[in-house]
Amino acid sequence: MSPEPVPPAAVERDASARAAPPPPGAPRETPLLALHLRLGARMVPFAGYAMPLHYAAGVLKEHLHARAAAGLFDVSHMGQIAVTGESGVAEAASALERLIPVDILGLQPGRQRYGLLTDEAGGIRDDLMVAHLGDRLMLVVNAANKAADLAHLRASLPGSIRITEQPAALLALQGPRAEAALARLAPDVAAMRFMDVRETAILGAPAIVARSGYTGEDGFEISLPADAAEPIAEALLADPEVLPIGLGARDSLRLEAGLCLHGSDIGPDTDPVEAGLAWAISPARRRGGAREGSFPGAERILGALERGPERRRVGLLPQGRAPVRAGITLYAGETGGEPVGHVTSGGFGPSLQAPVAMGYLPASLAEPGRTIFAELRGQRLPLAVARLPFVPAGFKRS
């Protein structure tokens, strides 16, 4: 869940930049900017923020370290939105179901679900997480969409629903050693399962911890007051198993995990079914469900569930060493013919030591094992259609 590809142009900043506020139009700063600069991060503008692209270890080592041990990501640019109702959390859940095809009323306290904000045409406005914190719901939305999401929520929900952007920091700790690293500071997180969420204390600071992430690995997302983010990040990084990880490795990790990037793999021009996200449409919201439909684009989306999509998001494995990037056109044959699809994300997969990609193909060409072709600089390169994810998920299910 992230809004746009890593920008190609880097902007270097030195430590003195922290002393003065950013000039008008300059990227915003997260509470961890000073730490990034001390760690030697290469900073880039991303979704309106100055963010680390990578640190001294480099993208390849950061990626492999997150798969083998634990990586710490600053994701404070993401939007965090509290939603409450005058009569309680059930009122807020009922209201949100008008915008999100998820069983939010059935979401139990201490749990969260992946969800989609859909539009009237059945497209995906944004993807997000919805957490039930007992007295309120907490949404985590993509950074580039958070202003639009806030405006959409405020315009679409009744006046009795209070919608508040939370000015908190957000860390992600991901990898097979994430539990051990975080449990040193907050032992109670070890009992959490995948998609559990709880309020706890870390080094005396109030925190909201969710067992989820954007890498396919076991791990946590940790919402903190801004002034607590740096000391807690430093405490986590004091563990030799934890390495700071930038946007570059975050993107290759999520691509290997087959996770969608809003603005590339999904968006207003895709519906959840063709995107392979039908699992996110709760049974209660489907035909015959307890609260069928009644969300934007329900007719198209429920129809696509019944008929099957005309195109599908697929994994793609280039048969050579050349990465196949987003936007490249796909063909059914090695020569001639009309385009049949396009690549939406692509790059090198360090865990596989090979290029990987995702894209859309007609349903009739989407079966795993089929060979299709990408046209790259006048040449057509073969790619094998593959099942997703490329790397099996390491979530803690029980």
Side-chain angles (χ1 to χ4, degrees):
M1 190 182 67
S2 183
E4 59 279 299
V6 174
V11 175
E12 305 285 357
R13 301 186 65 185
D14 62 35
S16 63
R18 185 70 173 129
R28 297 170 65 181
E29 300 174 356
T30 77
L32 292 180
L33 178 67
L35 177 62
H36 297 320
L37 297 173
R38 286 203 305 277
L39 293 172
R42 183 182 184 191
M43 304 298 292
V44 297
F46 181 77
Y49 286 80
M51 299 294 291
L53 180 63
H54 62 77
Y55 301 85
V59 173
L60 182 65
K61 288 185 178 177
E62 290 175 15
H63 178 114
L64 295 174
H65 189 88
R67 287 269 184 255
L72 184 66
F73 305 73
D74 179 10
V75 287
S76 302
H77 59 311
M78 305 285 285
Q80 299 182 69
I81 303 170
V83 182
T84 55
E86 283 182 357
S87 64
V89 71
E91 180 188 7
S94 180
L96 274 176
E97 285 198 358
R98 300 175 199 172
L99 304 179
I100 302 173
V102 169
D103 179 9
I104 304 175
L105 273 169
L107 184 62
Q108 296 300 303
R111 296 288 290 168
Q112 68 171 357
R113 286 194 176 127
Y114 176 79
L116 303 161
L117 278 168
T118 54
D119 63 25
E120 294 296 334
I124 301 172
R125 298 177 64 105
D126 201 4
D127 62 341
L128 72 167
M129 301 298 289
V130 185
H132 191 319
L133 295 176
D135 61 345
R136 65 197 185 282
L137 301 173
M138 183 68 75
L139 313 183
V140 178
V141 304
N142 284 302
N145 297 334
K146 63 184 174 184
D149 289 347
L150 275 165
H152 177 57
L153 292 170
R154 286 171 175 150
S156 305
L157 298 181
S160 59
I161 304 300
R162 188 167 59 191
I163 301 157
T164 313
E165 183 178 8
Q166 305 296 294
L170 190 65
L171 307 180
L173 184 66
Q174 298 283 292
R177 299 296 298 161
E179 179 185 291
L182 185 56
R184 288 191 303 108
L185 309 182
D188 56 328
V189 304
M192 295 175 69
R193 300 165 298 150
F194 182 55
M195 300 299 264
D196 276 353
V197 59
R198 68 172 55 180
E199 295 182 86
T200 186
I202 302 177
L203 298 181
I208 301 170
V209 178
R211 193 153 197 163
S212 60
Y214 192 53
T215 62
E217 295 295 331
D218 182 29
F220 303 88
E221 293 191 339
I222 309 158
S223 177
L224 296 160
D227 60 1
E230 187 171 315
I232 290 173
E234 288 186 316
L236 291 167
L237 291 169
D239 186 326
E241 299 274 22
V242 181
L243 202 65
I245 311 291
L247 292 172
R250 184 171 182 252
D251 195 53
S252 55
L253 288 160
R254 73 92 195 163
L255 176 57
E256 286 185 344
L259 300 174
C260 291
L261 181 70
H262 191 270
S264 292
D265 306 298
I266 55 174
D269 60 338
T270 54
D271 71 48
V273 183
E274 63 191 6
L277 301 174
W279 56 267
I281 313 295
S282 301
R285 312 303 308 283
R286 299 188 180 202
R287 299 260 195 244
R291 296 182 304 284
E292 170 186 325
S294 303
F295 54 84
E299 195 63 29
R300 172 183 168 183
I301 294 169
L302 298 182
L305 278 171
E306 292 166 347
R307 295 187 303 273
E310 294 182 357
R311 62 172 189 161
R312 294 183 184 277
R313 180 172 62 92
V314 297
L316 300 166
L317 289 172
Q319 299 302 285
R321 299 293 294 174
V324 177
R325 306 288 183 185
I328 288 179
T329 303
L330 300 174
Y331 292 84
E334 193 167 5
T335 59
E338 296 295 320
V340 295
H342 66 283
V343 174
T344 54
S345 290
F348 185 73
S351 304
L352 283 73
Q353 288 294 296
V356 292
M358 294 193 295
Y360 282 86
L361 285 172
S364 60
L365 301 177
E367 74 273 21
R370 174 183 283 273
T371 299
I372 52 100
F373 296 86
E375 190 160 280
L376 184 65
R377 294 187 288 275
Q379 283 191 312
R380 293 205 183 167
L381 308 178
L383 303 90
V385 178
R387 296 187 189 281
L388 294 170
F390 298 110
V391 174
F395 306 138
K396 182 179 177 181
R397 300 283 186 183
S398 61

